[in-house]
């Protein structure tokens, strides 16, 4: 299998980047996309060139580090799939593939395909902690939680913080990410005590990071590898307005 790659190369955030053409031959269609990137880097190193830098960690669709734009689509052409779960069999022999970093003012490029996503970390840390009693674990039935609420909380908590929602949003909004992090706590009894201050702090931090505003195009849900629902954004807006009214 032969693939023609156009890969974004950028020395650092101050430098001007550009797309560089590479051709890889004798590729196995069953290779993962990141294995293909490893092959490219091995070729570059052997020829004395700098390898392409890209984020990755678990390579199992869990950590959310491997985000990149593949032919203009966050994580590539498959729905509900991270870049590391994408395989070359999703492409055709002799295809041209354009590979770029996630684009957002809040995600500055560090080098090549690596971006700085610490803005997400600051949003999470602004939420503070959950006030619960420590010690022996309570009985499983001590805190009643319905099955529906449990499922909704787990669905929100499924967010892996990859940033695909931001990269695919025309406004660069982090509303889906922030709402998922707010809602998986506010839905459960343990997270209700700080619900008011938590949502106010996290939304304030999201705005401080200069993410764009949500305009309900719902592109974020389409590109999310975990299919986190945009209904979380509606719930976040409810929690935010509720907190503002109660603060008054």
């Amino acid at each position: 299998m032969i693939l023609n790659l156009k890969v974004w190369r950028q020395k650092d955030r101050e430098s001007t980047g550009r797309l560089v053409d590479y051709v890889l031959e004798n590729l196995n269609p069953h290779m993962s996309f990141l294995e293909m990137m490893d092959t490219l880097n091995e070729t570059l190193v052997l020829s004395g060139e700098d390898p392409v830098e890209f984020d990755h960690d678990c390579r199992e669709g869990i950590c959310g580090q491997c985000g990149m734009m593949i032919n203009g689509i966050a994580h590539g052409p498959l729905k509900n799939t991270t870049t590391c779960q994408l395989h070359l069999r999703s492409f055709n022999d002799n295809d041209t593939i354009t590979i770029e970093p996630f684009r957002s003012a809040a995600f500055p490029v560090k080098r090549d395909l690596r971006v700085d996503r610490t803005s997400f970390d600051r949003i999470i840390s602004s939420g503070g902690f959950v006030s619960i009693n420590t010690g022996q674990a309570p009985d499983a039935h001590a805190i009643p939680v319905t099955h529906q609420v449990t499922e909704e909380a787990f669905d929100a908590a499924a967010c892996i913080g990859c940033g695909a929602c931001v990269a695919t949003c025309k406004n660069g909004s982090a509303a889906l990410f922030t709402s998922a992090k707010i809602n998986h706590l506010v839905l459960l009894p343990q997270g209700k005590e700080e619900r008011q201050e938590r949502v106010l702090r996290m939304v304030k931090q999201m705005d401080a990071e200069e993410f764009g505003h949500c305009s309900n195009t719902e592109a974020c849900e389409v590109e999310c590898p975990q299919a986190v629902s945009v209904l979380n954004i509606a719930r976040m807006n409810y929690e935010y307005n509720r907190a503002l009214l109660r603060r008054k």
Side-chain angles (χ1 to χ4, degrees):
M1 186 177 189
I2 300 175
L3 289 177
N4 306 293
L5 307 179
K6 292 181 177 293
V7 183
W8 186 262
R9 303 303 308 265
Q10 184 171 338
K11 186 176 181 180
D12 51 48
R13 67 180 61 187
E14 285 78 27
S15 302
T16 300
R18 63 189 180 93
L19 289 170
V20 179
D21 294 331
Y22 301 103
V23 178
L24 290 181
E25 301 179 348
N26 301 318
L27 295 172
N28 189 323
H30 300 296
M31 293 173 67
S32 73
F33 200 87
L34 294 191
E35 287 174 329
M36 182 268 292
M37 294 298 298
D38 291 338
T39 301
L40 170 62
N41 281 342
E42 183 178 354
T43 303
L44 292 175
V45 169
L46 290 175
S47 63
E49 299 181 53
D50 290 334
V52 178
E53 292 197 19
F54 60 94
D55 290 320
H56 65 94
D57 191 2
C58 72
R59 299 201 176 200
E60 294 179 346
I62 298 171
C63 71
Q65 294 300 301
C66 61
M68 56 183 74
M69 301 297 288
I70 302 170
N71 288 339
I73 303 173
H75 292 302
L78 295 185
K79 287 180 65 64
N80 308 136
T81 302
T82 56
T83 302
C84 63
Q85 294 173 305
L86 181 67
H87 291 79
L88 299 190
R89 55 180 174 266
S90 297
F91 303 93
N92 297 316
D93 189 34
N94 217 26
D95 269 358
T96 296
I97 304 176
T98 302
I99 309 170
E100 301 171 276
F102 280 173
R103 301 290 188 182
S104 171
F107 290 166
V109 175
K110 298 173 74 173
R111 184 182 177 95
D112 296 335
L113 304 176
R114 292 178 59 222
V115 298
D116 185 349
R117 285 176 282 193
T118 53
S119 52
F120 272 6
D121 297 330
R122 290 189 289 272
I123 291 174
I124 292 174
S125 63
S126 69
F129 300 93
V130 175
S131 297
I132 58 174
N133 294 326
T134 59
Q136 186 174 355
D139 184 80
H141 299 291
I143 304 175
V145 182
T146 66
H147 175 75
Q148 180 179 349
V149 170
T150 302
E151 289 299 307
E152 289 177 355
F154 275 126
D155 288 344
C159 170
I160 58 176
C162 66
C165 53
V166 176
T168 198
C169 176
K170 66 179 183 179
N171 303 324
S173 171
L176 188 66
F177 164 81
T178 306
S179 65
K181 298 306 177 184
I182 290 171
N183 291 331
H184 84 264
L185 292 174
V186 79
L187 284 166
L188 298 176
Q190 297 90 335
K192 290 188 182 299
E193 185 172 340
E194 294 88 6
R195 65 189 295 185
Q196 178 174 311
E197 290 303 317
R198 181 188 301 114
V199 66
L200 292 175
R201 289 196 303 261
M202 293 182 74
V203 171
K204 180 180 179 181
Q205 186 64 41
M206 176 180 67
D207 292 339
E209 299 293 342
E210 299 185 351
F211 287 103
H213 293 288
C214 173
S215 53
N216 296 315
T217 61
E218 301 186 11
C220 52
E221 179 181 331
V222 173
E223 299 301 335
C224 175
Q226 299 296 323
V228 175
S229 173
V230 293
L231 292 176
N232 283 289
I233 300 176
R235 183 180 284 117
M236 176 183 70
N237 292 338
Y238 164 78
E239 289 293 329
Y240 183 77
N241 291 325
R242 175 184 180 275
L244 287 178
L245 290 172
R246 296 210 168 194
R247 171 175 279 188
K248 293 177 181 179

